[in-house]
Amino acid sequence: MLAQVAADPWVRWSWVRDHTDDIGDSLQEHLVLTGLTLAIGMVIALPLGVACHRWKRLYPAVLGVAGVLYTVPSLALFAFLLPFTGLSRTTALIPLVLYTLLILVRNVVAGLESVPADVREAAEGMGLSPARRLMRIELPLAVPAIVAGIRITTVTTIGLVTITALIGQGGLGSLVYDGLLRDFRTPLVVGTALTVVLATLADLGLAGVQRVLTPWARGR
Amino acid sequence: MRRTRSGAVGAFALTFMLLLGACGGSDDDGVTAGQSESKGTCAGFKGTEELTVGGTNFSEQEIVAELYAQCLQAAGYKVDTKLKLGAREVVQPALERGDIDILPEYVGTLLTYLNGSPTTDLPKTLSDLKASLAPKRLVVLTPAPAEDKNGFAVTKATADRLKLKKLSDLQPHAKDLVFGGGPECPERPLCLQGLEKTYDLKFKEVKRLDSGGPLTKDALQKGDIQVGLIFTSDGAVPARNFLVLEDDKKLQPVDNVVPIVRQDVLKGDVEPLLNSISAKLTTEGLSELNKRVDVDKADPDDVARDWLKANGFT
């Protein structure tokens, strides 16, 4: 598609200069959508994962539902949601949040499951109630797996946010979309490059968070 | 362990606060303030209501939506825009729901979407469209002369070589030519089915590309196809030396640009204001606007602003 536009440079810097506000707004919207998606996703996934850990029979059912939701195309979800939630941020967030659940719940459960049996028995022996055991021992020890899940989810969400350009949201996706619609390389390249940079920075940042949260794992 | 736990919880909370902290932004991507000190047709209208102008995902929609929005704003309305939206399937529910108040549409295409049958007769098509939209409390205003409908284009070189002016001239040559259109074209009565039925055109090969998009235009220019579906108001027609063949047997129904407005907001000067814009909007004018956005890569809002000024609206 781009082959014929020989005269069109990959980036027209004059366009970038004239549109710094638009690019900044898109970047901000992208961060907002990603942040909200992960925050809401964790608020749902954390208790759900704990519940799945406690009541084992729940786990396959939750994974099954999350797995099916993961396969629903976002466009179909948008079409389904539009009559109810309209062209709002909510319509953009619902599919994005649903897509995070599969990985987040799985990692919360994996994290809790990774707690060594002797640690759990020791906590029990110290007389900690199940709730305190969860808060003081199990969740902190599950942090590496949970943050690993958040890292994967963050990177995929940063990519997925772009699709919400279809309903007038989309952050950097609106730049990519504009570039595709007009066969115009500059917004396409700028939108794509910023998305990749954002995903990389988020991944590195979360790797740092993971380090801070698990001081016992350092220096290994 | 004790320190670790509180550290872990604190850092978790911090992470989420950082993520949420970015959420204060408002989405004030409305129309940038147009200069309203200069007098023009738009400033002659008056209104203060809040209106949302929508548009789907191609430049012409964005340009015409900007024309409406900027003129309304110059008249004093508080205007928000929701542009580059997905297809009609996204926009029509939004319009019925009131997320959008005003939308540039096309009389024929919209009537087809609503399961009606547009014809080459504009008043008939218009009255059918009005009847279909009335139950949804949507009003059809006066259409512009500008039409954006399926056109079938060849390069000027092909036209000269085969002496083509109108679609019926293609009949003896079609068996040697490759046709390109949208992926849905072979199933659409106004596209390949219509060309076969009305013009008896049987092409050597049919390529499923895009509906008058970059793939079709590039393929036409490069010679991968010789006949391509191109929309009549496309800026590429003048920019790339294409010739849209005349629809001499009237296959294509009318498809004039027309504002659709929610009945609830159709008060005061909204109708005369939008009609005054439509009156000045021609197919040639629209192709030129499209060329500036699609080919010259100017911003739709700037192009709309220039047009409004040049035509005495602002």
Side-chain angles (χ1 to χ4, degrees), chain A residues 181-207:
Chain A
L181 290 175
R182 283 202 278 164
D183 196 8
F184 186 14
R185 283 174 173 177
T186 306
L188 190 69
V189 170
V190 169
T192 309
L194 285 177
T195 307
V196 171
V197 168
L198 204 59
T200 310
L201 287 180
D203 194 45
L204 290 175
L206 283 166

Side-chain angles (χ1 to χ4, degrees), chain B residues 190-266:
Chain B
L190 297 184
C191 206
L192 196 63
Q193 287 184 0
L195 289 179
E196 286 175 359
K197 218 179 271 174
T198 309
Y199 287 97
D200 189 29
L201 298 180
K202 301 262 193 303
F203 291 100
K204 181 171 84 177
E205 192 191 336
V206 173
K207 285 203 162 131
R208 288 172 187 244
L209 304 168
D210 50 9
S211 292
L215 296 177
T216 307
K217 291 174 214 167
D218 290 355
L220 189 58
Q221 194 171 30
K222 279 191 289 188
D224 293 343
I225 61 173
Q226 286 79 45
V227 184
L229 170 72
I230 301 280
F231 293 97
T232 49
S233 60
D234 197 312
V237 174
R240 299 204 196 188
N241 263 329
F242 293 155
L243 178 75
V244 177
L245 297 171
E246 188 200 330
D247 183 17
D248 53 321
K249 291 187 183 169
K250 300 245 176 264
L251 166 66
Q252 301 298 332
V254 290
D255 221 354
N256 303 63
V257 176
V258 68
I260 307 290
V261 185
R262 285 178 55 234
Q263 199 158 36
D264 298 345
V265 303
L266 194 62

Side-chain angles (χ1 to χ4, degrees), chain A residues 4 19 32 87 166 182 213 216, chain B residues 4 11 22 86 99 218 297 299:
Chain A
Q4 71 63 234
H19 294 79
V32 169
L87 294 170
L166 287 174
R182 283 202 278 164
L213 290 185
W216 60 86
Chain B
T4 303
D99 284 343
D218 290 355
K297 313 302 185 197
D299 287 350

Side-chain angles (χ1 to χ4, degrees), chain B residues 6-268:
Chain B
S6 57
V9 172
F12 243 113
L14 186 67
T15 312
F16 282 131
M17 275 159 62
L18 284 174
L19 289 169
L20 285 166
C23 304
S26 59
D27 45 351
D28 52 348
D29 53 347
V31 193
T32 38
Q35 261 77 27
S36 46
E37 88 278 352
S38 59
K39 289 193 193 74
T41 317
C42 296
F45 297 107
K46 288 282 170 273
T48 54
E49 288 88 349
E50 290 181 18
L51 294 169
T52 303
V53 181
T56 56
N57 54 9
F58 50 103
S59 304
E60 182 173 285
Q61 281 273 308
E62 210 170 335
I63 296 164
V64 178
E66 284 285 353
L67 291 178
Y68 297 167
Q70 289 179 19
C71 191
L72 285 164
Q73 196 166 51
Y77 291 92
K78 291 174 197 62
V79 186
D80 192 13
T81 51
K82 288 195 189 293
L83 304 174
K84 289 198 193 79
L85 300 171
R88 199 165 270 108
E89 286 74 4
V90 168
V91 175
Q92 284 296 322
L95 191 60
E96 288 168 38
R97 238 186 130 254
D99 284 343
I100 295 171
D101 300 311
I102 299 168
L103 177 73
E105 263 291 1
Y106 303 92
V107 287
T109 313
L110 183 55
L111 185 59
T112 309
Y113 173 79
L114 298 165
N115 299 320
S117 307
T119 66
T120 50
D121 178 10
L122 181 59
K124 167 84 173 73
T125 305
L126 202 56
S127 69
D128 283 2
L129 184 62
K130 285 178 176 171
S132 313
L133 287 175
K136 301 177 177 183
R137 298 185 57 77
L138 297 176
V139 184
V140 186
L141 302 189
T142 308
E147 283 193 86
D148 181 356
K149 56 185 180 183
N150 286 359
F152 299 98
V154 295
T155 58
K156 288 242 169 76
T158 306
D160 289 345
R161 186 166 54 88
L162 301 174
K163 306 210 183 333
L164 306 174
K165 274 206 172 103
K166 40 195 202 295
L167 273 171
S168 48
D169 295 342
L170 269 178
Q171 206 280 328
H173 306 289
K175 61 181 190 313
D176 305 317
L177 302 175
V178 179
F179 174 86
E184 73 290 351
C185 182
E187 284 82 45
R188 290 281 160 98
L190 297 184
C191 206
L192 196 63
Q193 287 184 0
L195 289 179
E196 286 175 359
K197 218 179 271 174
T198 309
Y199 287 97
D200 189 29
L201 298 180
K202 301 262 193 303
F203 291 100
K204 181 171 84 177
E205 192 191 336
V206 173
K207 285 203 162 131
R208 288 172 187 244
L209 304 168
D210 50 9
S211 292
L215 296 177
T216 307
K217 291 174 214 167
D218 290 355
L220 189 58
Q221 194 171 30
K222 279 191 289 188
D224 293 343
I225 61 173
Q226 286 79 45
V227 184
L229 170 72
I230 301 280
F231 293 97
T232 49
S233 60
D234 197 312
V237 174
R240 299 204 196 188
N241 263 329
F242 293 155
L243 178 75
V244 177
L245 297 171
E246 188 200 330
D247 183 17
D248 53 321
K249 291 187 183 169
K250 300 245 176 264
L251 166 66
Q252 301 298 332
V254 290
D255 221 354
N256 303 63
V257 176
V258 68
I260 307 290
V261 185
R262 285 178 55 234
Q263 199 158 36
D264 298 345
V265 303
L266 194 62
K267 291 179 276 216

Side-chain angles (χ1 to χ4, degrees), chain A residues 12 25-26 31 34 43 47 67 82 122 142 180 197 215:
Chain A
R12 286 191 197 179
D25 289 350
S26 303
L31 285 168
T34 307
V43 165
L82 272 171
L180 286 173
V197 168

